[in-house]
Amino acid sequence: MKKTVLVSGGAGFIGSHVTVELIQAGYDVVVADNFSNCDRTGYEGVKKITGREDIPLEVMDFCDMKAVEALFGKYPIDAVIHFAAYKAVGESVAQPLKYYKNNLSSFLNVLEAAQKKGSFVLFSSSATVYGEPDSVPVTEATPRKPATSPYGNTKTICEDILHDTVKASEGRLKGILLRYFNPIGAHPSALIGELPRGVPNNLVPFITQTAIGKRECLRIFGNDYPTPDGTCLRDYIDIVDLAKAHVYAVGRMVEGRMKQDCEVFNVGTGRPVSVLELVNAFEKVNGVKLNYKFAPRRAGDVTAIWADPTLANTEMGWKATRTVEQTLKSAWEWEKHLAGK
Ligand code: UDP
């Protein structure tokens, strides 16, 4: 029997790539999204890539418990992957209530409905929960640090909510937390990718938009960090590799291979890359010159963080496979696709 996976926020950047991988792995997928932060491009792209016209799409808000209950009543949901959330760090500092209200209440509703139905839950957490770690790479056992933004805090709080709920449910609810490092790139088909609204906050969309001429100049925030070239170190994970980690995690849940009722996995490559290295690699692999300059540090940025992905590699059997160069090529192809080039 085919298993059904509900993907909340399934039309967004990560959600659309995960939907593709799940369908290609043989799952039935229900996409649910309120399109508050994306248009239909992602959903239409998923249909094209998979050749499937019949992917159910539910336009709804997960803060609306009645709608969530109706959704769980309508489909035989074996597992839910929860992406539906606001994600702009700066906006969360300016409007904390908007972030706490939306990101927490939608997750609470999903948990309540999943517990009632007996569905597994996969929550999209983030390396942001580690803050500025005392040592790198970080394992899942590395202590979490207080969040530096309300957005980051919602990740920490949702992790705790899942742990507590699973514990109290005495086996009726089980879940996995995936802690993403820096997801970048786009699907190799260039039919889906990241679609930031307005000026991008993240590095790679800013690079591609500068290269295509939408932005004048990339600012590299800080070249005086205590790192080999003075710029920050991150673990950039290819979006398709990251999406595949969800297929492994869902398989682990629905096929009864979990070893604990609530499991945590880092989803990263284990490879630190500096901002400058990433910029240079982008120029080299795509044969384009990037206009960039050094600028002061950005408030809230950590110096260096990368994953120890051993647990995901050995326990889930998942491993990142794509090189930074392949990923930066896919990011550029996507930007060119958007520009109609
Ligand atoms: N960064 C940069 N210029 C930009 C955007 C980001 O130099 O326009 C740097 C940022 O300081 C950090 C790295 O790129 O060191 C990754 O930032 P991003 O916002 O993509 O992800 P984060 O690690 O903050 O979640």
Side-chain angles (χ1 to χ4, degrees), residues 89 126-128 151 180-184 194 199-207 210 217-222 225 231-236 273-276 278-279 293-305:
V89 177
S126 161
T128 189
Y151 162 77
Y180 312 144
F181 283 69
N182 288 59
I184 61 165
E194 205 167 353
V199 182
N201 289 309
N202 295 115
L203 179 58
V204 170
F206 209 105
I207 289 176
T210 306
C217 183
L218 167 75
R219 285 176 303 159
I220 295 182
F221 298 133
Y225 283 99
T231 65
C232 294
L233 296 171
R234 293 288 183 275
D235 186 334
Y236 296 95
V273 174
S274 78
V275 176
L276 205 50
L278 199 83
V279 166
K293 65 177 182 198
F294 292 110
R297 293 181 180 194
R298 182 172 72 176
D301 276 343
V302 305
T303 304
I305 184 162

Side-chain angles (χ1 to χ4, degrees), residues 2-22:
K2 265 190 161 188
K3 300 281 186 186
T4 301
V5 183
L6 166 66
V7 182
S8 84
F13 173 46
I14 302 180
S16 59
H17 288 82
V18 168
T19 300
V20 166
E21 296 305 317
L22 285 169

Side-chain angles (χ1 to χ4, degrees), residues 123-135:
F123 179 68
S124 54
S125 190
S126 161
T128 189
V129 300
Y130 297 116
E132 177 91 63
D134 296 331
S135 65

Side-chain angles (χ1 to χ4, degrees), residues 204 207-212 276-290 324-325 328-329 331-333 335:
V204 170
I207 289 176
T208 56
Q209 289 196 5
T210 306
I212 206 95
L276 205 50
E277 282 172 328
L278 199 83
V279 166
N280 291 335
F282 180 87
E283 290 187 319
K284 193 161 170 222
V285 71
N286 294 313
V288 293
K289 194 87 202 88
L290 206 62
V324 164
E325 286 74 18
L328 290 173
K329 217 171 169 34
W332 183 227
E333 291 306 320
E335 190 66 60

Side-chain angles (χ1 to χ4, degrees), residues 146-182:
T148 54
S149 72
Y151 162 77
N153 206 20
T154 63
K155 293 295 182 194
T156 306
I157 295 170
C158 285
E159 285 200 352
D160 291 344
I161 291 173
L162 184 64
H163 275 294
D164 291 346
T165 313
V166 163
K167 195 170 160 198
S169 82
E170 295 175 335
R172 277 175 295 118
L173 182 78
K174 294 184 184 184
I176 291 184
L177 296 166
L178 294 183
R179 290 180 179 154
Y180 312 144
F181 283 69
N182 288 59

